[in-house]
Amino acid sequence: MAKNQEKKSFFESPVGSFLLQNKALAILVVFMISVACISPIFLTPSNLLNLIRQIAYSAILGAGYTMILSSGHIDLSIGCEVGLVGVIMGKALVADLPIPVAILIGLVSAVLLSSLNAVLINLLDLPPFIITLATMNVFKGACYIYTKMVPVSNLPAAFNAIGQDYTFGIPNQVYIMVFMMLVIAFILYKTKFGRYSLAIGGNAEAARLSGINVKMMRIGIYALMGLYVGVAAMTLTARSASAQVSAGQNTEMDAIAAVVMGGTPMSGGSANVVGTFFGCLIVGVINNGLNLMGVDSNWQLVAKGLMILFAISLDVISTNVTRNMSKKKMA
């Protein structure tokens, strides 16, 4: 049979191609319809606004993680780093430092801590998975030692307003989320730094041979992730009106799942910031739906684990489908 008469696969059709390129949106629609059928409260305006408010923190982390993953790296330490940066910021606030100064101290601390990951990767020449797994425990232990397991409370009301107040009926942290996602999209798609980052994710050795300083780029990529960790820590601490010692722990798993479901491959080389937002919405819909249904928190952990497995499986399947389609076009 001639090539032009061969039967096309579903993913080569317009619908299949759209679903392949927008898998997070398709999954989100299915999940929202499913939860809405189970709980009539889900689609109420107040619950939807609360849902957006709840995902603001994870979307900020996810935006930064899109840069990390698209560059072919990984960072398992961001959750514990959020907790440590939160208490650093909280301690500065209760020491009566001006709010902008306390926030700046937190942001600088986050950038330095994340940059440490890149420095260690460069010096020890070990995989990011190993380095960030180690620093995850270092950050967690440092947070426990620094606070003596006591949360930092009595934060200024003006600071808490960042995470609790509304402007024109929209939570303040939603504005921060949108701004941070626009910034990462601009960096990835419109700057030399973003292009170099994606080049490293596609093939680090080829990027090095083409003149890109991979080690310096790695430090910049992790430093940028640190900035996003700092902003996420600020919004979470302000929303809670306290710096909890366990804040942020395990949220790196949500970030990975959201970014991968959003269309950024774990192998790196490409990024989908809009997809990351939809991926965060999927995670938020699952959490919100399980809460509305009164599902035990332990079962929610099981659901998150399955969600991560699903996200990684989806990444592998979609990558294989895309690769096979490219081979067919080249044949």
Side-chain angles (χ1 to χ4, degrees):
M1 186 180 289
K3 282 184 181 179
N4 57 2
Q5 293 178 324
E6 288 181 3
K7 187 177 180 180
K8 290 185 177 181
S9 68
F10 169 73
F11 290 106
E12 291 178 290
S13 66
V15 175
S17 179
F18 176 82
L19 292 176
L20 189 63
Q21 295 173 17
N22 302 275
K23 53 191 175 185
L25 177 59
I27 296 169
L28 175 63
V29 171
V30 171
F31 278 12
M32 290 186 71
I33 292 173
S34 301
V35 175
C37 290
I38 298 171
S39 174
I41 301 173
F42 176 71
L43 289 179
T44 58
S46 59
N47 185 65
L48 291 177
L49 185 61
N50 185 50
L51 172 63
I52 295 294
R53 181 171 174 267
Q54 288 173 345
I55 72 157
Y57 158 76
S58 59
I60 292 168
L61 270 187
Y65 215 94
T66 303
M67 171 69 80
I68 286 284
L69 215 57
S70 66
S71 67
H73 294 87
I74 196 167
D75 190 346
L76 300 179
S77 68
I78 59 169
C80 293
E81 188 181 338
V82 165
L84 179 55
V85 171
V87 298
I88 290 172
M89 204 175 291
K91 290 279 190 180
L93 288 166
V94 296
D96 291 329
L97 288 177
I99 292 175
V101 174
I103 291 173
L104 182 61
I105 289 172
L107 295 179
V108 171
S109 299
V111 170
L112 292 176
L113 291 172
S114 283
S115 298
L116 176 64
N117 285 326
V119 171
L120 291 174
I121 294 168
N122 288 339
L123 289 177
L124 302 177
D125 196 25
L126 288 173
F129 179 89
I130 301 298
I131 295 294
T132 59
L133 182 63
T135 55
M136 174 183 73
N137 289 286
V138 171
F139 296 158
K140 184 191 297 184
C143 183
Y144 291 169
I145 293 168
Y146 185 39
T147 61
K148 297 180 181 178
M149 300 298 291
V150 178
V152 182
S153 54
N154 298 319
L155 303 183
F159 175 79
N160 296 338
I162 295 172
Q164 296 180 356
D165 284 7
Y166 293 68
T167 302
F168 304 117
I170 298 174
N172 289 338
Q173 55 190 314
V174 172
Y175 292 107
I176 298 172
M177 173 193 73
V178 171
F179 175 75
M180 296 304 289
M181 296 202 84
L182 289 174
V183 168
I184 205 68
F186 177 80
I187 292 172
L188 276 167
Y189 303 139
K190 299 294 183 180
T191 68
K192 184 191 294 185
F193 183 86
R195 290 194 296 273
Y196 283 3
S197 175
L198 294 176
I200 293 171
N203 190 321
E205 182 59 19
R208 186 186 68 80
L209 293 174
S210 67
I212 297 174
N213 189 330
V214 174
K215 289 187 176 182
M216 287 303 298
M217 279 295 301
R218 182 178 290 130
I219 292 174
I221 290 165
Y222 274 89
L224 186 61
M225 179 73 251
L227 177 63
Y228 276 74
V229 166
V231 175
M234 176 189 70
T235 58
L236 182 62
T237 304
R239 190 177 77 186
S240 306
S242 64
Q244 300 293 322
V245 294
S246 60
Q249 290 183 19
N250 300 319
T251 51
E252 65 276 356
M253 294 296 103
D254 287 354
I256 292 172
V259 174
V260 172
M261 281 191 290
T264 300
M266 294 195 72
S267 55
S270 65
N272 190 334
V273 178
V274 174
T276 293
F277 175 71
F278 288 132
C280 291
L281 273 175
I282 292 170
V283 176
V285 167
I286 292 173
N287 291 335
N288 186 260
L290 292 173
N291 285 330
L292 290 176
M293 290 182 278
V295 176
D296 184 88
S297 59
N298 294 323
W299 281 106
Q300 292 188 31
L301 291 174
V302 173
K304 283 188 178 182
L306 293 173
M307 178 184 64
I308 293 168
L309 181 62
F310 171 73
I312 295 173
S313 301
L314 188 67
D315 177 49
V316 172
I317 292 170
S318 61
T319 299
N320 289 337
V321 169
T322 303
R323 186 182 297 119
N324 292 334
M325 287 173 61
S326 297
K327 286 181 179 178
K328 286 180 70 174
K329 288 180 180 180
M330 293 174 64

